[in-house]
Structure formats: structure tokens, C-alpha cells
Amino acid sequence: MQALHFGAGSIGRGFIGDLLNESGYDITFVDTNHALNQQMNQQHGYAIYIIEQNYQQKFIPLREALSPLEQPEAVIQRCVEADLITTAVWADNLPKIAPLLLAGLRARQQAGKEKINVIVCENALFNGQILRRECIRLGEENIDQLAAFPDTAVDRMVLTTSRDGESVIDVGVDRELVIDRCALCDADAQPLLGAIYTDNLQKYLERKLYIINGGHAWAGFVGYLRGYRTMQPIFAEPALVAEIKQSMRETARLLHHKYAFSLAELDEYIGFVINRFCTPGVVDTVQRVCRSPIRKLAAGDRLTGPCEQAEAAGLPNEYLIKGIAAALHYFDPEDEQSVILQTYIAENTVSQAITHFTGIKENTRLHARILFHYAGLMS
């Protein structure tokens, strides 16, 4: 079986290439990084290193690595030959690969090939539909006759590093790729071994966004106010870790209420997340975790989303409220959104800022509790 994969970054090599290899595909990578392509072609593959297994090396063999700029015709030919197409190029780059992908899909049709799955493995909501819409925007109104673009949820710890002058990827042992099975060419097929196929992708998207991303953001914003500048000491402080877990458990109760995830399953998931954040040798900064606070405070996002939904359902949310209040305090002069946030608060009021950035209205219990925690965090 042949697989064509766009994107040789950390997720592409560290996760999707690994899955493709384990699923038995002969893999062709497409990437604009000439030096990396040369390295992979010389070695006929690349190495990943599993962090929790004392950085044990795992070699992923490749058929070849191609440049979309220098070898577009070869990429189109590999598209014609492929049994599966995958991407991991960052969501913002999907418009850049769409023209070449579409040329390949049209060449497949002209060659009499059947419709193919294009599995878009980007860390963005409705990622498959983003690429599908780009193909339609390029004039292919019959795109659904050429390919299926199932949405996915992607999760694995992947860290780009170098060894002996070469680019390599360190990976966590745990991983999860969830695919909307109803949007595949064949809903009963499983083109990637080790993936989860579901009729309800939304619940997995929310579990990741609210528990992993939300818990990490909560830890960063509260840790910032306590003087931490890197994340590892935060997760080495037992009292603080206990609070982080409480915020995650409030979200877990919401997801149990909404989607009937078992509480035991969600508690195990929280344990897995905390263990990831405590991985030895991994250094992460509070600045990176807390960047773009306006986006993280937005209605429906990792902090405000579960907090408002728990409020509406009558479920506990006091720790989630505290996380929102802490985010409103965050200031990094190098972060444009942080500067905008603090300027708005200085020129208006915290009360107005809560409504402006989260959508939570004044004269509500939730708004009042955020104000209460905001004041308490100032001391």
C-alpha cells in the first residue's frame, strides 16, 4: 500500500509517519525543507526517540521525500498511485498545499482511480473541512467525487530536536488520532491502525481542548501569578497540582454530563495528562503556554467554554472560574494579545473586560465570581 503525506514537521514525522508505518504503508513525504528531505532520502527514512523508554530509537522507513516546489509532477504521480493521503502541515498552511493536492486528485480521476481518503491531521477544529473548502475555492465544485476529508482530533507529545547534527523527533509513548468515520469513503474501513473511529468526533475534540489544553492553560496562568516562569516546577508542587486536577475534574464532570464519558475513564485521562506534563527532561515555558490570552479567554475556548457550560448545567465550576480570573491578570510585554488585554482593563474596568473578552454578562453569578477571584488573586 502507498501513502502520500504532506508535512515533515514534528506531528508529521513524530506521529502520522509512525502510524502510517505501523499500518503497513510505503510512505512518501512532501515537504519544502530541502535539507530535511535530503537527510531523509539519504537515510531512506528518519528516526524518532521515545521519551518514556529512555529515548529508545525507532526508525521509520520512507520510499522518498519530495519537494512540492522542485518536484510537483512527482508529487502528482505519487497522488495518483496512493491508497491514502494524509497531512500535518499546520492548519494555516492548508491553503498552500491545496493547489498541488487538487492537481493530484484530478490526475487520479483522469487515470480512472477511485475516490481517496485525505486525512487531515492538524490541530484545528473541523480540519478536514478547511482543506475541502480550499479545494472548492480553487474551482473544484465536485471535490466530493474525488476525495473524502474526514475531520480528526490529533494528540501526541512531539518535540523537534537535533542529534549528531541531524533533525530528529522526541515523542511521548501515548498518542491518539480520532477520525470521523462517517466522513470516510467507506465508514466501515479503518485506513490507519491504532486510530479511533467515531460517530461523535465533537466529544473527543472537547475532551482534548477542555482537559489537556484547558488544564495546561489553567496551570500556566495560575503558576504565573505565583512567580513561576517554567512549567516543570508548577507540576512539581503538590498543592498546585491538586488544584490543577480539581479544575480538570470540573471539566470531566461536564463531559460526563454531556457525552456520558465514564468518570473513571476521564479520571484516568486526567492522570495521563498530568503525567505528560511531568515528563522528565521536557522544558516548557509559562510564556509559551499562556501566549495569546484573548484567544484562550474567548467564549467556547478552553477556559470559558467548560466554565459557562458547567454553570448552565448547575455543575461545580469554581476552579474554572479561578482560571479565567488568573488569565485576566496575565501580562507579557512581548505578547500582543496580553498587551491589548491589560490596556483594555486599564482604560476601562475589569468588569467590562470580563464581558468584552469572554462574553459573560454582568449581573450574573458567574461574572460576580470571576470578579471575586480576580480581586483575591491580586494579594
Side-chain angles (χ1 to χ4, degrees), residues 226-259:
R226 299 190 186 182
Y228 293 102
R229 294 298 175 262
T230 58
M231 297 301 294
Q232 281 60 42
I234 294 173
F235 288 97
E237 176 57 52
L240 193 47
V241 170
E243 288 192 71
I244 296 165
K245 286 182 177 179
Q246 286 300 326
S247 74
M248 291 176 163
R249 285 176 180 140
E250 287 180 350
T251 297
R253 280 190 282 272
L254 170 67
L255 296 177
H256 168 69
H257 173 78
K258 284 183 67 176
Y259 297 119

Side-chain angles (χ1 to χ4, degrees), residues 292-305 308 324-325 327-330 335-362 367 370 374:
S292 305
I294 292 174
R295 174 168 56 87
K296 289 165 183 172
L297 282 166
D301 210 282
R302 65 208 68 195
L303 296 173
T304 307
E308 282 199 289
I324 292 173
L328 288 164
H329 275 287
Y330 181 69
D335 186 311
E336 181 182 5
Q337 287 194 11
S338 173
V339 172
I340 292 170
L341 174 65
Q342 296 309 322
T343 300
Y344 186 94
I345 291 173
E347 294 177 351
N348 298 275
T349 66
V350 177
S351 179
Q352 290 173 300
I354 292 169
T355 301
H356 182 75
F357 292 109
T358 72
I360 297 170
K361 298 187 185 306
E362 295 186 26
H367 189 281
I370 295 171
Y374 183 90

Side-chain angles (χ1 to χ4, degrees), residues 60-82:
I60 310 298
L62 294 183
R63 177 180 181 179
E64 62 185 336
L66 299 172
S67 167
L69 304 176
E70 301 168 7
Q71 301 164 288
E73 293 303 321
V75 174
I76 290 171
Q77 181 58 35
R78 294 293 175 263
C79 187
V80 172
E81 299 169 356

Side-chain angles (χ1 to χ4, degrees), residues 285-333:
T285 65
V286 169
Q287 183 182 49
R288 189 200 70 81
V289 172
C290 295
R291 69 187 175 191
S292 305
I294 292 174
R295 174 168 56 87
K296 289 165 183 172
L297 282 166
D301 210 282
R302 65 208 68 195
L303 296 173
T304 307
C307 187
E308 282 199 289
Q309 292 177 51
E311 182 79 2
L315 296 169
N317 61 355
E318 202 68 15
Y319 283 92
L320 293 170
I321 291 170
K322 182 176 179 178
I324 292 173
L328 288 164
H329 275 287
Y330 181 69
F331 179 62
D332 174 6

